[in-house]
Amino acid sequence: MKISTACEEIPDFRAIRNSLQILAMENSQLTQVRGDNLKNLTQLQRLSFVNNSIAHVADDVFQGTKKVKYFDITHNRLTCLPPSLFESWKGLKEVRLTHNQLLHVDHLFLGRNPKVRVVEGSKGPLGTEPSTAPLPLRNNH
């Protein structure tokens, strides 16, 4: 499901929670990701919040949503993300964080599957360009 309207809040997806696999809330006016409307989306695999004005993501917003493989929250106003945000996503393959104000993201991926590809970078305080190389997430022995 792709939503590209001027949404300021996340709609209620609970009625389709057992069938929704792709959610793209792009080019909207979201300033935060919070509440119960994204909880327990049991089949959700792809999640995108590209090009909003998101400055805050609640730590429990995806509670019960465990099958996410791809997460994209590029082009927002994030300065930090909750440390436990990605913990329940055991099959996570790629996270895109570019064009935010994030200073540190390494702690979000400590102990995770080394195959998770994290695309990070910023035009923010660090002034770095986005990197497309996977981050070394842990030592490979």
Side-chain angles (χ1 to χ4, degrees):
M1 174 177 288
K2 186 169 184 173
I3 299 174
S4 294
T5 61
C7 287
E8 293 181 14
E9 292 187 17
I10 296 172
D12 189 347
F13 296 108
R14 289 177 287 187
I16 57 173
R17 81 173 107 216
N18 295 324
S19 61
L20 186 63
Q21 294 182 5
I22 299 171
L23 177 59
M25 294 198 64
E26 301 174 346
N27 304 307
S28 288
Q29 297 176 359
L30 295 173
T31 58
Q32 55 188 338
V33 180
R34 64 176 176 84
D36 293 335
N37 295 343
L38 295 173
K39 290 182 179 178
N40 299 310
L41 300 177
T42 59
Q43 300 304 313
L44 189 64
Q45 295 180 25
R46 292 180 177 266
L47 186 55
S48 176
F49 293 103
V50 173
N51 199 29
N52 282 280
S53 296
I54 298 169
H56 174 75
V57 176
D59 60 351
D60 66 342
V61 70
F62 302 115
Q63 182 179 353
T65 300
K66 299 180 180 183
K67 293 186 177 180
V68 175
K69 294 179 182 178
Y70 301 95
F71 181 73
D72 190 343
I73 196 161
T74 57
H75 293 277
N76 280 283
R77 297 181 178 169
L78 291 168
T79 58
C80 65
L81 285 169
S84 61
L85 185 63
F86 305 112
E87 280 182 5
S88 67
W89 298 348
K90 305 299 182 199
L92 188 63
K93 294 182 181 203
E94 183 169 298
V95 175
R96 294 186 169 271
L97 304 170
T98 60
H99 299 281
N100 278 288
Q101 306 292 318
L102 294 165
L103 297 176
H104 304 287
V105 296
D106 294 346
H107 69 285
L108 298 171
F109 303 99
L110 292 176
R112 296 226 29 106
N113 182 339
K115 294 180 180 173
V116 175
R117 181 171 185 247
V118 180
V119 181
E120 67 166 336
S122 172
K123 292 275 187 182
L126 296 180
T128 59
E129 289 295 323
S131 167
T132 57
L135 288 180
L137 303 177
R138 68 178 187 200
N139 293 336
N140 293 327
H141 299 283

